[in-house]
Amino acid sequence: MLSRRAFLGVVTPSRELPVRPPWALAEAEFLTTCQRCSDCVDACPTGLLVRGDGAYPEADFTPGRAPDACTFCGECRQACPTTALSATATWQLKAVFSSDCLAERQVVCRTCGELCEARAIHFPPRLGGVARPQLDASACTGCGACLADCPTRAIRVLSPNSIAYRGVA
Ligand code: SF4
Ligand code: SF4
Ligand code: SF4
């Protein structure tokens, strides 16, 4: 579980790297390759990509913004006039659950599990308590579908390299 402190972003935001579109090159290379044209933002059919700091594109998984998830359709990659989105693999984001999850209040909720097409969220039975969501990290694609309808905004998708993720790993 992600601690409330970490979940609420008690980290220095400026030290966290933004989430770039899937297939983005490593950050330093991305920044020198991307032309900040926003073609990828305009091409994204789900509205996940936004124009971020410095006009560089970012994936906005802000809880409550409720964007549609990334479908890995590749439209952003195809629209990019540079090699900025030419990595062979997509991002390595993983879902994390905070202590705001209803299961922590002994309330049954399986919304996130129902939204996960990758079936990466399981609810192992828990003696004397409500089952908590448990992530199969190897199955999670970081698409973000699970967070959109979470009633308590208890889910984030984070890079395992991020400070917030390392705080709970
Ligand atoms: S792969 Fe598709 S849905 Fe995902 S960020 Fe790119 S354009 Fe948007
Ligand atoms: S389409 Fe490519 S060059 Fe243009 S903002 Fe997106 S990543 Fe950068
Ligand atoms: S981010 Fe996507 S794949 Fe990962 S748990 Fe959420 S819905 Fe499933």
Side-chain angles (χ1 to χ4, degrees), residues 47-91:
L48 179 65
L49 298 184
V50 298
R51 205 170 155 88
D53 283 351
Y56 287 101
E58 298 177 8
D60 184 359
F61 286 109
T62 305
R65 176 173 175 256
D68 287 333
C70 180
T71 60
F72 303 102
C73 64
E75 295 290 334
C76 52
R77 189 181 200 185
Q78 285 179 24
C80 181
T82 73
T83 56
L85 305 182
S86 63
T88 50
T90 61
W91 51 39

Side-chain angles (χ1 to χ4, degrees), residues 46-163:
T46 71
L48 179 65
L49 298 184
V50 298
R51 205 170 155 88
D53 283 351
Y56 287 101
E58 298 177 8
D60 184 359
F61 286 109
T62 305
R65 176 173 175 256
D68 287 333
C70 180
T71 60
F72 303 102
C73 64
E75 295 290 334
C76 52
R77 189 181 200 185
Q78 285 179 24
C80 181
T82 73
T83 56
L85 305 182
S86 63
T88 50
T90 61
W91 51 39
Q92 300 298 308
L93 304 177
K94 301 296 173 194
V96 291
F97 307 93
S98 82
S99 55
D100 287 331
C101 173
L102 287 175
E104 298 300 313
R105 298 179 216 163
Q106 303 305 313
V107 176
V108 175
C109 173
R110 300 203 173 187
T111 303
C112 56
E114 289 160 7
L115 290 170
C116 179
E117 287 186 11
R119 298 180 184 274
I121 303 175
H122 304 284
F123 293 86
R126 193 161 64 101
L127 263 184
V130 168
R132 295 170 174 150
Q134 191 173 84
L135 186 74
D136 176 354
S138 64
C140 176
T141 64
C143 70
C146 53
L147 65 82
D149 286 337
C150 172
T152 58
R153 300 183 182 181
I155 308 171
R156 288 176 73 186
V157 286
L158 297 171
S159 164
N161 296 322
S162 69
I163 297 163

